Amino acid sequence: MSREYLQVKGRIFDIQKFSVHDGPGIRTIVFFKGCVLRCRWCCNPESQRYEIEKMLVGGKEKTIGRDVTVEEVLLEISQDRIFYRRSGGGVTLSGGEALCQPEFGSALLLALKENGYHTAMESMACAEFSTIERYLPNLDLYLMDIKHMDSGKHKAYTGRSNELMLENAKKIAGSGTKLIIRVPVIPGFNDTPGEIRAIARFAAALPGVEEMHLLPYHRLGQDKYQGLGRDYPMGDVLPPANETMQGLLSEVLNAGLKGQIGG
């Protein structure tokens, strides 16, 4: 087989090692640069634009974004193979949105599977399904964000309506790829029992879907907006209380799904 795919280039802004989120076991997260959504609560604003940017971090200017080949990413990941084996971990594509770079994303997944890694992708599925299909053959786990069932409210808070994403959720579930639904819980947007109940019922109706994770809003990305010279869209909104999260989790469980707080 030709190995030209190892020289396919993509643009990332970070490779995070020893993560215990975004998939099973100890994982390495590859953060793609570029996203089609503009979620008000985004904790990685440096991921939104594809262009390489400058950001002030701790008072010092830092370049955000670098171009890498699949082979270069593999080399960096290979240093942690032993941790994946011991923990049942692997590699997760995140962002940004990995679907925005289909040549690179699909080539990277192919290389990861050929090297025996467990693969996952954290994604909004905001792309034509023909693009998503390029990823699925080498993807073990799809972690899909569903933010709201109401299209108008979804568009108001993210910049895009949700019809394409909901339709893609049905198609991904139908493909046989393991799919876990994740919901960022945002005060004032989707933090009521009724809103979470609607998402949980939709998720429970998807073939093969057994889990739904609730990800509580946090303000950890606020300083990044300042570093990029942008306003923080969430103002003084506070994270949801634990009591609120437990109440929302009960809606997930009542829908017949396994649920957890955090991902």
Side-chain angles (χ1 to χ4, degrees):
M1 177 187 294
S2 171
R3 297 177 67 82
E4 292 180 0
Y5 63 89
L6 292 175
Q7 300 309 313
V8 174
K9 288 186 176 182
R11 183 165 293 174
I12 64 174
F13 68 94
D14 196 14
I15 295 179
Q16 178 182 307
K17 299 187 176 185
F18 304 111
S19 175
V20 293
H21 303 288
D22 300 318
I26 295 173
R27 308 193 70 80
T28 297
I29 316 296
V30 181
F31 290 91
F32 285 50
K33 207 161 184 330
C35 187
V36 294
L37 300 186
R38 291 295 180 267
C39 302
R40 294 186 190 179
W41 58 88
C42 180
C43 61
N44 289 325
E46 73 275 35
S47 76
Q48 294 176 349
R49 299 174 183 171
Y50 179 74
E51 294 78 17
I52 294 175
E53 302 174 90
K54 299 291 185 180
M55 182 171 74
L56 288 178
V57 180
K60 297 182 179 179
E61 190 174 75
K62 180 180 179 181
T63 299
I64 305 297
R66 58 188 173 106
D67 294 329
V68 294
T69 64
V70 168
E71 189 170 40
E72 288 169 338
V73 175
L74 277 181
L75 181 61
E76 189 164 346
I77 287 170
S78 67
Q79 302 167 10
D80 299 316
R81 180 185 287 269
I82 188 172
F83 300 109
Y84 309 147
R85 288 176 176 170
R86 290 178 176 177
S87 70
V91 182
T92 301
L93 311 189
S94 188
E97 173 56 78
L99 294 175
C100 290
Q101 300 184 53
E103 294 290 339
F104 178 62
S106 59
L108 179 56
L109 285 176
L110 173 59
L112 291 170
K113 290 310 296 179
E114 288 198 338
N115 282 271
Y117 297 113
H118 179 277
T119 59
M121 180 168 68
E122 189 279 321
S123 165
M124 289 80 69
C126 189
E128 294 300 322
F129 189 67
S130 58
T131 296
I132 297 173
E133 283 184 304
R134 299 179 62 175
Y135 291 69
L136 297 182
N138 295 299
L139 189 63
D140 295 312
L141 173 62
Y142 204 122
L143 301 164
M144 181 179 172
D145 280 13
I146 293 182
K147 308 175 195 303
H148 211 288
M149 295 304 295
D150 182 87
S151 180
K153 199 167 186 180
H154 191 282
K155 185 174 183 178
Y157 277 75
T158 72
R160 293 280 185 106
S161 58
N162 64 0
E163 290 88 354
L164 176 62
M165 289 167 265
L166 296 180
E167 188 62 30
N168 281 336
K170 298 175 185 178
K171 293 177 180 178
I172 294 165
S175 75
T177 301
K178 183 175 182 181
L179 176 62
I180 293 176
I181 301 302
R182 308 206 306 178
V183 183
V185 177
I186 313 300
F189 171 61
N190 65 357
D191 62 334
T192 67
E195 288 166 315
I196 296 301
R197 186 184 312 127
I199 300 174
R201 288 176 175 173
F202 175 82
L206 297 172
V209 171
E210 300 176 348
E211 294 182 55
M212 180 167 145
H213 301 169
L214 301 179
L215 313 179
Y217 163 74
H218 59 76
R219 301 175 62 88
L220 298 180
Q222 185 173 0
D223 289 345
K224 296 180 180 180
Y225 286 85
Q226 184 176 356
L228 290 164
R230 303 179 200 168
D231 293 330
Y232 185 57
M234 294 298 288
D236 296 325
V237 174
L238 297 176
N242 182 62
E243 182 179 341
T244 299
M245 293 302 302
Q246 292 297 330
L248 299 178
L249 179 60
S250 68
E251 296 293 343
V252 177
L253 302 178
N254 290 339
L257 295 166
K258 298 176 185 177
Q260 66 184 52
I261 297 173

